[in-house]
Amino acid sequence: MANDLNKDVINVISLLDNKLKCQEKDTVLSFPQFLERLGAQPAKVLRNVFQMFHDMFYYYIHEEDDILNDPESINYKTIKCDKLFVDHADNPFFADLPLANRLVRLADSFKEGAQQNKLYIFIGPPGSGKSTFLNNLLKRFEEYAHTNDGQNYEVFWKLDLKKLGASNDGFLEIPCPSHDHPFLVIPKEHRREVLENLLSSEERTRILYKKEYEWVLKDIPCTICSSLFDALSSRLESPKEIFDMIYARRYNFNRRLGEGISVFNPGDPPSKQFLLTNEVIQKELSNIFKDSKLVEYIYSRYAKTNNGVFALMDVKGVNEKRLIDLHGIISEGIHKIEDHEENVNSLFITVMNPEDKEKIADIGSFTDRIIEINVNYILNYTEEVKTYYQSFGRQIDRHFLPGVLENFAKIIISSRLNPDSDAIREWIRSPRKYEKYCDDDMLLLKMSLYSNIIPSWLEDEDRKTFDKKMRRKLFDESEKEGREGFSGRESINIFNDFYATFRKMSRNGNGFGHDKLITMDDVKNYFMKHVDRREKIPRGFIDSIIRLYDYNVMEEIKESLFNHNEERVSKDIQNYLFASNYDIGERQLCPYTNENIEITDNFFESIEHNLFRKSVTPDSRKNFRDEIAGKVTICLQELDLAEQSILDTPIYKELYSIYMNNLRENIFEPFLKYTAYENAIKDYGKPKYEKLDSRVKEEVSFLIKNLVARFKYTLEGAKQVCLYIINKNAY
Ligand SMILES: [Zn+2]
């Protein structure tokens, strides 16, 4: 029975067999097949490493649409990078929007072309995760190169030995160690004509005259490929026979083998072998051409990352020397080995701490070849919270009242921002008007804008002056922020410490027992206790964020207590506006609501008591009403009756909002004042609750239900947040 393989296994093997055969068929193309593919998909086939990188970015990121028709847009976008840095990563990296936007700009610059060698430095303070960033980026690049979208080709020679008069039959396979693009084996002077024949007219203009494709006409193949081509020309009768021996092989980037991607760590020993070769291939070549000098199969390790990525992880240890060695290559684009000149066109990357910058400042003429990209600490609270999820699991959410975890993240981020911002000072002339919504330094405004959200509370005049120039200035400041304050590592430690303390307290039955959720008071107490940590947070920020939190929560409670029919309120206001022009004692049909109204003092009073905060004399009510009557007359004159109704008038809007606000306050005040509510909330859900006064019970049930349904509280959370507010107001 041992030979009877399971049927499933047999199926699997045949499946693999088919798949691998297909793959193989796709990996090596004859030169005509390659040209055919080039003609069909030029943008995909004609790519160098820079264009590949650009395409890889857009393959993985997700851009959300810009605010439509915003004429002041500076193309700062909401970009999701999870597929690039987070999904399936051993160590996820979380890119905030400022960084994501910098990366997209970088990717776009790769496509602008004229790629003279440059050194791209990802510069970031310790604990910013820049090594993780680069590792994940390169891993994704490698993966991309193996997808259908990411296919790319390199020259691959298959010399027909018989045709070349060798004693043995078969083929000599010679890979190009420099991963030359197959199109480059076509002699330079004929390339334009080849493309003109292969491409449609539209693509012709796109490719032949664009800077990003300059390399297609300009670059030359490596010395091995060109000497091989020359040697074959003198040996074979027609060029067609040469092209019969040239193939295009799928360029398989492989970091572990250092093919197309090499990453050097500071501790990696310097390579001893300067010249690389392949003795078997060299011997065969010497045999065929009867001359060992005609085609020399030698190259350096830089060849292996030609048209690929050469990366240094930190400028320390041996990497310092590696960086200095790169200097010549980067400025000349050429690497000399013995009497050969090797072309090196790579994407040179290094990550670096800011303090190592002086190491490259000394290397003359390097500076104009350097592009710096800041990888700073996270400035978006949504991304910051994700790092907590990553370390402690999503379930941490369940232990916080809604909004508190986000506020914790905002406090951490505040330590990374500069409270003294030129841009904000120039832009927001009177910050005081926003004290209900924002801290004094407007850090919360900044955080919101960095997340590409213009807060709803921002007034029109400030929206108008938030023009291109101001946006540019503000986002430029983000480049310098996130270099100080709590590092990513520190913030995880702080969160861990805070969370553990709280969990322990909660297990010991502190407060309301096991279900107690973390409140803003817990957050504040924590930072009050740890002075060294509090010192990194801008003065007053924690108090501000608590004030805003309290304000928001009170609004939620007011909303949730509010049991009025908005349509009824609207009709009452319309009736009132209409009646203000009539005398007491009359009876009129209101044309706006079609309701009959008896105009009495009681009628006026029933509405006016919600228009004033305090009780007022009948005389002042009368004066107020006369004023309204005058405004109504003016508003109606200005109204375009064909298109608008009374609901569009400023006077209606004003009264409606005053009325609603006062209604809310009138319900909210007793809620804070009477212990009956507090007790009812504490007893909610217990048998005792059922015995309470039915009015209080009804209101509390309504409140709790609304908090759960509309503001995402749990039942426990809803109770707790009410008590939090009641206690706060008792002080
Ligand atoms: Zn080559």
Side-chain angles (χ1 to χ4, degrees):
M1 292 297 278
N3 282 337
D4 280 345
L5 277 173
N6 182 319
K7 222 165 117 198
D8 290 342
V9 173
I10 294 170
N11 283 340
V12 166
I13 295 292
S14 90
L15 181 100
L16 280 174
D17 188 49
N18 273 330
K19 292 237 159 175
L20 291 173
K21 261 186 206 149
C22 283
Q23 250 174 38
E24 209 169 316
K25 219 168 62 196
D26 209 45
T27 46
V28 181
L29 305 176
S30 69
F31 206 72
Q33 280 173 329
F34 166 75
L35 290 180
E36 198 176 14
R37 194 164 288 199
L38 192 160
Q41 296 179 295
K44 221 165 150 185
V45 175
L46 276 178
R47 285 192 290 189
N48 62 13
V49 65
F50 295 97
Q51 288 160 314
M52 282 269 291
F53 233 91
H54 167 275
D55 293 353
M56 185 264 306
F57 254 94
Y58 281 95
Y59 181 76
Y60 286 113
I61 62 166
H62 175 78
E63 278 182 300
E64 267 163 36
D65 281 343
D66 237 354
I67 306 162
L68 283 178
N69 299 326
D70 181 353
E72 297 300 332
S73 161
I74 56 164
N75 250 339
Y76 182 86
K77 288 182 181 153
T78 303
I79 300 160
K80 300 244 183 309
C81 296
D82 283 6
K83 280 194 187 155
L84 204 50
F85 297 122
V86 179
D87 298 349
H88 320 293
D90 296 337
N91 291 308
F93 174 84
F94 298 94
D96 62 7
L97 283 195
L99 176 60
N101 276 280
R102 289 199 279 276
L103 293 175
V104 163
R105 277 204 300 276
L106 176 72
D108 289 345
S109 81
F110 284 169
K111 224 173 150 72
E112 276 150 24
Q115 293 303 340
Q116 266 195 310
N117 278 333
K118 290 205 166 89
L119 175 64
Y120 295 90
I121 302 186
F122 292 94
I123 194 159
S128 57
K130 55 189 180 302
S131 311
T132 310
F133 158 81
L134 184 59
N135 274 325
N136 295 6
L137 187 66
L138 295 181
K139 187 160 181 256
R140 212 51 98 214
F141 181 70
E142 205 176 333
E143 277 170 24
Y144 172 70
H146 288 86
T147 64
N148 249 339
D149 278 66
Q151 53 188 290
N152 207 352
Y153 294 91
E154 62 184 14
V155 180
F156 185 64
W157 299 85
K158 267 168 108 173
L159 305 189
D160 188 333
L161 294 174
K162 201 171 168 190
K163 269 202 174 146
L164 291 166
S167 47
N168 48 338
D169 271 359
F171 293 94
L172 171 61
E173 297 190 340
I174 307 173
C176 164
S178 294
H179 306 286
D180 283 331
H181 193 280
F183 193 73
L184 299 185
V185 292
I186 300 175
K188 253 175 154 179
E189 59 271 27
H190 303 305
R191 291 185 200 161
R192 179 178 289 272
E193 211 186 328
V194 171
L195 287 178
E196 276 169 355
N197 279 302
L198 282 176
L199 304 178
S200 69
S201 65
E202 193 187 321
E203 277 157 348
R204 230 175 285 156
T205 34
R206 204 168 60 83
I207 286 173
L208 287 174
Y209 301 103
K210 267 213 165 162
K211 250 192 147 125
E212 79 168 282
Y213 287 104
E214 250 178 29
W215 66 271
V216 174
L217 299 176
K218 207 185 74 191
D219 282 7
I220 48 170
C222 74
T223 51
I224 296 169
C225 289
S226 45
S227 56
L228 201 47
F229 193 92
D230 291 344
L232 289 173
S233 316
S234 57
R235 184 66 78 82
L236 294 165
E237 301 210 332
S238 76
K240 187 189 167 295
E241 286 177 297
I242 309 177
F243 284 105
D244 282 345
M245 299 186 194
I246 299 174
Y247 287 75
R249 184 170 76 166
R250 186 83 185 251
Y251 182 174
N252 280 321
F253 290 83
N254 189 324
R255 176 176 169 175
R256 288 176 65 200
L257 300 176
E259 289 300 344
I261 304 178
S262 286
V263 182
F264 296 94
N265 290 305
D268 294 345
S271 86
K272 291 191 197 89
Q273 221 181 345
F274 188 67
L275 267 185
L276 302 169
T277 185
N278 180 318
E279 276 171 29
V280 178
I281 291 179
Q282 185 63 64
K283 215 176 122 204
E284 296 265 10
L285 283 171
S286 306
N287 268 338
I288 294 169
F289 296 110
K290 316 277 189 277
D291 180 350
S292 64
K293 282 279 172 198
L294 209 51
V295 182
E296 284 184 288
Y297 199 77
I298 50 167
Y299 55 96
S300 78
R301 66 179 157 80
Y302 293 111
K304 295 173 82 171
T305 48
N306 180 49
N307 202 17
V309 185
F310 183 102
L312 299 177
M313 226 23 129
D314 246 336
V315 185
K316 297 196 186 315
V318 185
N319 275 358
E320 268 186 66
K321 165 114 190 7
R322 290 193 177 104
L323 186 68
I324 292 166
D325 288 347
L326 279 186
H327 175 229
I329 297 170
I330 287 177
S331 40
E332 307 295 328
I334 284 170
H335 177 231
K336 272 215 129 175
I337 36 167
E338 301 195 334
D339 53 349
H340 286 67
E341 283 187 346
E342 198 173 63
N343 292 300
V344 182
N345 230 314
S346 304
L347 174 51
F348 293 106
I349 298 177
T350 181
V351 297
M352 187 192 268
N353 281 329
E355 72 263 21
D356 291 329
K357 247 172 114 170
E358 55 192 51
K359 289 178 186 162
I360 47 168
D362 299 342
I363 311 173
S365 79
F366 215 171
T367 34
D368 51 345
R369 301 234 167 236
I370 285 172
I371 309 281
E372 279 180 32
I373 304 102
N374 289 305
V375 181
N376 297 341
Y377 304 140
I378 292 173
L379 302 179
N380 287 151
Y381 69 88
T382 43
E383 299 301 311
E384 177 73 16
V385 168
K386 282 185 198 166
T387 68
Y388 309 153
Y389 287 155
Q390 178 58 31
S391 297
F392 306 99
R394 281 234 46 142
Q395 83 287 349
I396 54 173
D397 244 359
R398 292 207 311 260
H399 301 287
F400 286 83
L401 276 177
V404 173
L405 181 58
E406 286 78 7
N407 280 345
F408 182 93
K410 286 176 185 172
I411 291 172
I412 294 288
I413 291 170
S414 74
S415 76
R416 301 168 180 163
L417 297 175
N418 181 3
D420 188 28
S421 156
D422 277 348
I424 293 281
R425 207 177 312 117
E426 191 187 323
W427 174 33
I428 308 282
R429 294 298 166 91
S430 42
R432 288 213 66 89
K433 66 184 168 197
Y434 295 127
E435 62 182 358
K436 254 194 213 164
Y437 313 101
C438 201
D439 58 298
D440 297 343
D441 297 321
M442 301 265 123
L443 297 180
L444 289 167
L445 173 61
K446 248 187 182 183
M447 283 184 213
S448 178
L449 294 169
Y450 288 171
S451 298
N452 217 8
I453 296 165
I454 298 179
S456 56
W457 46 259
L458 198 70
E459 289 183 6
D460 269 354
E461 57 171 320
D462 291 324
R463 274 169 198 267
K464 274 188 205 126
T465 49
F466 192 43
D467 54 11
K468 272 190 176 141
K469 209 174 126 222
M470 187 53 72
R471 291 179 196 203
R472 184 75 61 206
K473 193 165 178 181
L474 189 93
F475 291 117
D476 282 351
E477 283 185 3
S478 76
E479 294 265 352
K480 296 190 201 93
E481 290 174 307
R483 292 181 183 173
E484 280 161 21
F486 298 121
S487 73
R489 237 172 276 150
E490 278 176 306
S491 83
I492 292 292
N493 287 339
I494 295 171
F495 185 87
N496 182 34
D497 186 33
F498 166 71
Y499 189 63
T501 318
F502 183 82
R503 297 293 295 150
K504 208 157 65 192
M505 260 166 47
S506 160
R507 267 199 300 278
N508 292 343
N510 187 295
F512 311 100
H514 296 294
D515 296 328
K516 188 180 181 288
L517 303 173
I518 299 172
T519 68
M520 280 312 291
D521 281 345
D522 297 321
V523 175
K524 181 175 178 170
N525 291 340
Y526 177 81
F527 284 103
M528 288 300 119
K529 231 190 268 168
H530 296 83
V531 181
D532 54 322
R533 284 170 180 174
R534 195 182 64 223
E535 274 170 351
K536 284 199 176 178
I537 299 160
R539 186 180 291 272
F541 186 79
I542 296 181
D543 287 331
S544 296
I545 206 166
I546 287 180
R547 182 167 47 80
L548 301 172
Y549 170 83
D550 291 354
Y551 174 80
N552 279 330
V553 169
M554 279 196 274
E555 289 299 301
E556 287 172 359
I557 292 176
K558 282 176 203 169
E559 281 291 312
S560 301
L561 275 167
F562 195 59
N563 198 1
H564 278 261
N565 181 336
E566 288 176 24
E567 200 187 330
R568 186 63 255 159
V569 172
S570 168
K571 282 190 173 163
D572 285 348
I573 302 283
Q574 292 178 58
N575 288 341
Y576 178 78
L577 288 175
F578 170 73
S580 67
N581 269 310
Y582 291 88
D583 292 327
I584 284 177
E586 288 193 46
R587 209 185 155 80
Q588 292 287 342
L589 177 78
C590 172
Y592 316 133
T593 60
N594 261 331
E595 289 177 347
N596 264 312
I597 26 182
E598 203 156 333
I599 303 170
T600 61
D601 189 55
N602 262 349
F603 165 78
F604 284 130
E605 216 274 330
S606 72
I607 289 157
E608 283 160 356
H609 90 270
N610 272 323
L611 291 176
F612 297 98
R613 287 293 281 140
K614 288 176 247 151
S615 60
V616 289
T617 61
D619 276 352
S620 0
R621 285 206 288 118
K622 175 82 174 70
N623 287 341
F624 173 80
R625 204 179 311 139
D626 289 345
E627 228 175 86
I628 295 286
K631 284 186 189 166
V632 170
T633 314
I634 294 169
C635 282
L636 287 177
Q637 278 162 4
E638 286 170 357
L639 205 64
D640 175 2
L641 282 171
E643 299 205 350
Q644 293 169 301
S645 77
I646 186 87
L647 300 176
D648 298 311
T649 59
I651 183 73
Y652 167 82
K653 288 179 189 166
E654 189 189 336
L655 278 199
Y656 181 81
S657 109
I658 296 176
Y659 191 94
M660 286 297 242
N661 274 334
N662 285 337
L663 262 183
R664 286 194 189 99
E665 296 302 328
N666 291 343
I667 308 167
F668 190 54
E669 261 170 30
F671 168 78
L672 293 180
K673 231 163 50 193
Y674 299 119
T675 47
Y677 288 97
E678 188 180 344
N679 293 333
I681 290 163
K682 280 184 186 161
D683 291 340
Y684 184 87
K686 296 178 188 161
K688 250 202 255 173
Y689 183 76
E690 296 309 318
K691 292 177 198 143
L692 294 176
D693 165 38
S694 70
R695 206 184 100 100
V696 172
K697 201 165 67 183
E698 198 180 296
E699 281 182 42
V700 167
S701 297
F702 185 74
L703 165 68
I704 302 254
K705 227 181 285 158
N706 275 337
L707 281 172
V708 171
R710 296 172 60 183
F711 299 106
K712 300 201 169 101
Y713 287 88
T714 60
L715 208 65
E716 258 331 292
K719 284 168 71 174
Q720 208 182 316
V721 84
C722 290
L723 295 172
Y724 168 87
I725 287 297
I726 290 172
N727 285 329
K728 277 253 156 148
N729 282 278
Y731 295 135

